[in-house]
């Protein structure tokens, strides 16, 4: 059992919810939105919304508008203007160029198939070949490998040394910036100091911590919520066609999200308005109540 969650109040709290516009919000994404929102408000902090549309191949038309309308229907109101990653390409390129100038970046021509055939972890095959950096993918030389970190919910986390030391891609061969780069650059630029999100991102967190170090920036606190799963190991996701939550009747799903996060719900909550439910959640939520597990299996009734 991991140690108890850390719940000391945080000054100048800045948190965020960062959905990808690849489809409507489902129950799993609602849990992440509600958990991050309540934690921000309990700490009298700011809650930002960022649309992570950097992978344009996965973007569904008008999904961003649907997501924002859903958040409003659930009275999850953001505190600053919504940020879109596709509007920030110059910022990402400036960071990549700076890393290139520090000779921390090199071009790689290896395919995923080749890397998978060699065990799935990139072994630096292109590191000393001197490929021009305007060809292939760009990899970051790993200078701050992170194998351990503390999570405010899940406790002490260990990551394999091989993965921690891997030189990973920060700009893809198709010219798109990689998620692992942009998420850290965004968090730095927006001043995010606590990240509350799903446990499916625990492993990438070690890589992101390394990049915060490489960019000489303070590392945010991380709190990874349990994943909502339909069956063990099968998380709810847009790719798995998880049903969209209702915008017309938000209260049942919102109360289910409260239950999922460990809040002591009761039948009379259905008598409240959605806005009152959110206020109740803020007054009731504690990070230490969140179940300290990686996933929780839910019923079909909870998903809509």
């Amino acid at each position: 059992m991991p140690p108890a969650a850390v719940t000391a109040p945080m000054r100048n709290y800045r948190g965020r919810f960062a959905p990808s516009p690849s489809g409507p919000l489902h129950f799993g994404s609602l849990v992440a939105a509600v958990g991050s929102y309540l934690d921000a408000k309990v700490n009298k902090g700011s809650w930002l919304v960022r649309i992570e549309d950097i992978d344009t191949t996965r973007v569904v038309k008008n999904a961003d508008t649907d997501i924002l309308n859903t958040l409003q229907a659930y009275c999850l109101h953001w505190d600053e203007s919504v940020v879109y990653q596709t509007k920030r390409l110059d910022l990402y390129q400036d960071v990549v160029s700076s890393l290139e100038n520090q000779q921390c970046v090199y071009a790689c021509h290896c395919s995923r198939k080749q890397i998978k055939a060699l065990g799935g972890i990139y072994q630096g095959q292109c590191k000393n070949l001197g490929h021009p950096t305007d060809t292939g993918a760009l990899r970051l030389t790993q200078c701050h490998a992170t194998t351990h970190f503390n999570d405010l919910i899940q406790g002490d986390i260990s990551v394999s040394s091989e993965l921690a030391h891997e030189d990973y891609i920060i700009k893809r061969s198709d010219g798109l910036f990689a998620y692992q780069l942009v998420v850290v650059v965004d968090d730095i630029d927006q001043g995010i100091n606590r990240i509350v999100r799903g446990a499916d991102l625990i492993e990438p967190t070690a890589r992101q911590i390394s990049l915060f170090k490489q960019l000489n920036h303070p590392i945010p606190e991380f709190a990874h919520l349990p994943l909502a799963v339909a069956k063990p190991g099968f998380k709810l996701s847009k790719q798995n066609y998880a049903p969209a939550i209702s915008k017309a009747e938000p209260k049942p799903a919102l109360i289910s999200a409260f239950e999922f996060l460990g809040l002591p719900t009761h039948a009379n909550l259905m008598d409240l308005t959605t806005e009152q439910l959110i206020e109740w959640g803020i007054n009731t939520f504690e990070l230490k109540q969140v179940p300290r597990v990686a996933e929780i299996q839910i019923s079909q009734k909870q998903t809509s």
Side-chain angles (χ1 to χ4, degrees):
M1 180 68 68
V6 176
T7 56
M10 177 183 244
R11 296 183 61 189
N12 303 315
Y13 183 116
R14 289 179 64 80
R16 46 77 161 180
F17 175 59
S20 60
S22 54
L25 293 184
H26 52 76
F27 182 74
S29 44
L30 177 65
V31 166
V34 171
S36 60
Y37 182 88
L38 294 183
D39 192 56
K41 296 309 167 183
V42 164
N43 284 278
K44 303 188 185 306
S46 298
W47 187 71
L48 283 61
V49 171
R50 176 195 309 153
I51 301 296
E52 296 198 331
D53 58 347
I54 195 65
D55 188 351
T56 54
T57 64
R58 296 178 58 237
V59 170
V60 173
K61 186 178 181 181
N62 298 324
D64 59 322
T65 301
D66 184 70
I67 287 169
L68 296 176
N69 288 340
T70 303
L71 293 175
Q72 290 179 325
Y74 281 75
C75 294
L76 299 171
H77 305 303
W78 48 95
D79 294 307
E80 298 178 11
S81 298
V82 175
V83 163
Y84 285 74
Q85 290 179 327
T86 49
K87 307 288 188 184
R88 299 156 68 80
L89 301 182
D90 289 345
L91 173 63
Y92 307 141
Q93 186 55 55
D94 286 346
V95 174
V96 170
S97 296
S98 176
L99 292 168
E100 283 190 72
N101 291 337
Q102 298 170 46
Q103 298 184 325
C104 296
V105 172
Y106 61 93
C108 175
H109 292 181
C110 297
S111 66
R112 288 185 181 181
K113 184 177 180 181
Q114 289 172 317
I115 295 169
K116 186 176 180 180
L118 294 171
I121 298 290
Y122 176 72
Q123 303 292 338
Q125 291 90 334
C126 293
K127 190 166 189 174
N128 298 311
L129 297 182
H131 296 309
T133 54
D134 59 352
T135 65
L138 294 183
R139 289 187 181 271
L140 179 67
T141 299
Q142 181 58 268
C143 300
H144 300 276
T146 299
T147 57
H148 300 273
F149 67 92
N150 182 69
D151 187 86
L152 299 183
I153 295 173
Q154 303 295 336
D156 294 327
I157 303 296
S158 297
V159 176
S160 74
S161 180
E162 267 197 322
L163 183 67
H165 284 85
E166 184 181 33
D167 292 348
Y168 60 89
I169 290 173
I170 60 172
K171 192 172 185 181
R172 295 167 19 174
S173 58
D174 60 7
L176 296 178
F177 294 99
Y179 166 78
Q180 298 289 5
L181 172 85
V182 300
V183 67
V184 172
V185 174
D186 287 337
D187 286 333
I188 291 173
D189 184 68
Q190 295 188 285
I192 303 301
N193 51 22
R194 184 179 288 182
I195 297 169
V196 180
R197 60 188 182 185
D200 53 328
L201 291 168
I202 284 180
E203 196 171 70
T205 297
R207 184 167 282 174
Q208 291 161 25
I209 288 172
S210 297
L211 186 52
F212 278 109
K213 293 177 181 177
Q214 190 139 356
L215 296 177
N216 196 30
H217 192 274
I219 299 164
E221 294 181 332
F222 289 91
H224 285 90
L225 304 166
L227 289 180
V229 298
K231 58 184 179 181
F234 190 83
K235 75 166 184 170
L236 297 182
S237 71
K238 296 162 189 172
Q239 288 73 30
N240 293 331
Y241 306 105
I245 52 175
S246 171
K247 290 193 283 292
E249 298 289 339
K251 291 195 291 184
L254 186 55
I255 292 171
S256 291
F258 287 164
E259 292 174 349
F260 188 95
L261 293 167
L263 276 68
T265 59
H266 52 82
N268 292 340
L269 289 177
M270 279 299 293
D271 297 332
L272 302 179
T273 66
T274 305
E275 192 77 55
Q276 288 170 334
L277 273 175
I278 290 295
E279 286 301 315
W280 179 87
I282 293 170
N283 292 328
T284 310
F285 178 80
E286 291 184 85
L287 202 60
K288 67 181 181 181
Q289 293 175 319
V290 177
R292 291 176 286 138
V293 295
E295 60 182 41
I296 298 174
Q297 188 168 346
I298 62 172
S299 66
Q300 187 171 357
K301 181 181 177 182
Q302 290 175 287
T303 64
S304 58

